[in-house]
Amino acid sequence: NGSAMFCPATFITSFSSIEMSKNTFEQMQLFVLEFDNSISCSEIINRANSYQYPVLFAYEISDGFRIAILNDVPIEYSDVAEVMIEALLAVFPEADKKSKDLTMIYSGGRKLIYFDPRAGAIDIETLFRNLCLYWKDKYGSKHYRRKVVEFSNRTGVALSDKNYLDITLVDGSNRESSNSNQCDSDDNGTLLPNSIIYKIRNGSKYPLS
């Protein structure tokens, strides 16, 4: 009935203070994009599947719909969460740009229109790799690198020597490390829930951390 409200991110607050801002940001694992009726939900879901961005659920609102995509681990850094949302907005330019606001409060909507209990989760490497693939499909192999460089200049995501977005996994238990390329895992190599992908490798631009 639209009475329920939620925010995809959580914040460190107290009963005396309910400030929601980047200063109190705690973590984010669910990414929500909102669309109006100028595009169909099925078209968005098909595009998401084409680039390995599995949609967990979608629901109807008064003038459109929203989709929700789950990340494999919580993101504990607001700058990283914002640049991940910006990557999704690049692949889905029809989405409302207010989705980048980490403090955005969403209504519960009218009804569930899509749910895939078997949907997997995205991860930051696949997100950025397939963002480049989307640009290559859209602009061609000769021109998509320009979009990559523009994205790097705008967001601070470093570039590799070959002008690809340079994403590194860093041990979540040692967030000051500058040269670790591993993340926490159990004996079977499975990522642990507290594994945080947070560092963009040093390049010509400042690294996100």
Side-chain angles (χ1 to χ4, degrees):
N1 57 17
S3 60
M5 310 287 286
F6 74 99
C7 180
T10 62
F11 300 83
I12 301 171
T13 61
S14 66
F15 287 111
S16 61
S17 172
I18 57 172
E19 178 190 12
M20 295 170 59
S21 70
K22 289 184 67 171
N23 293 331
T24 59
F25 179 86
E26 182 180 33
Q27 63 85 34
M28 187 173 189
Q29 191 169 4
L30 187 69
F31 295 94
V32 176
L33 300 179
E34 181 174 316
F35 301 84
D36 60 26
N37 288 318
S38 63
I39 192 167
S40 69
C41 183
S42 60
E43 184 176 347
I44 291 298
I45 291 174
N46 288 339
R47 189 189 310 166
N49 290 336
S50 296
Y51 294 99
Q52 298 179 342
Y53 301 156
V55 175
L56 178 60
F57 64 87
Y59 63 93
E60 185 181 80
I61 56 177
S62 59
D63 56 351
F65 60 94
R66 298 188 184 113
I67 66 170
I69 297 174
L70 187 68
N71 194 54
D72 61 341
V73 294
I75 301 300
E76 288 188 342
Y77 296 87
S78 59
D79 286 346
V80 177
E82 284 182 334
V83 79
M84 290 178 70
I85 296 172
E86 189 156 349
L88 288 171
L89 289 173
V91 177
F92 303 101
E94 304 89 349
D96 194 318
K97 300 304 181 287
K98 69 183 179 183
S99 300
K100 191 177 176 182
D101 182 0
L102 300 180
T103 66
M104 187 68 192
I105 302 292
Y106 294 99
S107 64
R110 291 183 169 182
K111 65 178 181 179
L112 190 70
I113 55 177
Y114 178 86
F115 173 61
D116 183 359
R118 297 172 296 178
I122 62 170
D123 62 82
I124 194 169
E125 288 187 302
T126 301
L127 172 62
F128 285 102
R129 182 176 66 249
N130 288 358
L131 167 63
C132 293
L133 177 60
Y134 168 79
W135 280 328
K136 189 174 183 179
D137 290 342
K138 185 172 183 178
Y139 298 105
S141 57
K142 292 184 178 180
H143 302 289
Y144 82 97
R145 293 287 182 86
R146 173 176 56 85
K147 301 298 293 185
V148 176
V149 173
E150 289 175 355
F151 187 85
S152 173
N153 290 336
R154 185 172 64 253
T155 63
V157 176
L159 294 175
S160 68
D161 294 338
K162 295 183 179 181
N163 276 355
Y164 291 107
L165 296 175
D166 196 0
I167 308 300
T168 300
L169 304 187
V170 175
D171 187 344
S173 64
N174 183 10
R175 292 173 184 161
E176 298 303 319
S177 172
S178 61
N179 55 16
S180 172
N181 293 328
Q182 298 179 343
C183 55
D184 294 341
S185 61
D186 62 19
D187 293 338
N188 295 320
T190 302
L191 288 176
L192 297 176
N194 64 344
S195 297
I196 304 302
I197 302 168
Y198 82 98
K199 187 174 184 301
I200 308 301
R201 183 175 304 176
N202 289 321
S204 58
K205 303 299 176 182
Y206 65 90
L208 281 171
S209 61

